[in-house]
Amino acid sequence: MTQQQYQQCIDACLECMNACNVCYISSLKEYDLAMLRDCIRVNRECADICAFAAQAMTRGSEFIGEICELCVKACEACAAVCGKHEHDHCQACAEACRKCAEACRLMAAVA
């Protein structure tokens, strides 16, 4: 694993974390909060897990593989929930989650 590959995964995690946070805040401002309840909940979980994964890779944790596997699961769940909504912030979040899941899947395979 090269430093560039680590950095690409870290960047994907941080971009996903930011997209989840934007979606979370934007969803709270929407009129129909009940419809977005699951989206809001999973945004928080995914953002936290992405941040944790980025931190683990930055410090060279021996658990990178397992943490990235968890990040894949969180990102896939978040993409599935956000992808159901037409809001721009939800669609952007779903796309960032799919990209992060792919980067973390590759990282988990080689870590």
Side-chain angles (χ1 to χ4, degrees), residues 84-106:
K84 295 177 186 176
H85 302 289
E86 295 300 320
H87 304 94
D88 289 342
H89 55 85
C90 288
Q91 291 299 312
C93 183
E95 180 62 26
C97 285
R98 286 189 282 273
K99 287 179 182 176
C100 185
E102 184 58 32
C104 282
R105 191 176 288 107
L106 293 172

Side-chain angles (χ1 to χ4, degrees), residues 1 5 8-9 57 64-65 68-69 72 99-111:
M1 180 63 51
Q5 289 169 312
Q8 287 173 342
C9 192
M57 284 182 277
I64 291 171
C68 283
E69 287 175 13
V72 168
K99 287 179 182 176
C100 185
E102 184 58 32
C104 282
R105 191 176 288 107
L106 293 172
M107 181 63 67
V110 297

Side-chain angles (χ1 to χ4, degrees), residues 41-88:
R41 180 187 52 76
V42 78
N43 284 153
R44 290 299 328 132
E45 289 288 325
C46 191
D48 288 347
I49 291 169
C50 286
F52 179 55
Q55 291 168 1
M57 284 182 277
T58 299
R59 13 173 223 275
S61 170
E62 64 185 80
F63 304 107
I64 291 171
E66 294 87 349
I67 293 167
C68 283
E69 287 175 13
L70 175 61
C71 196
V72 168
K73 290 179 184 178
C75 287
E76 287 176 344
C78 192
V81 171
C82 288
K84 295 177 186 176
H85 302 289
E86 295 300 320
H87 304 94
D88 289 342

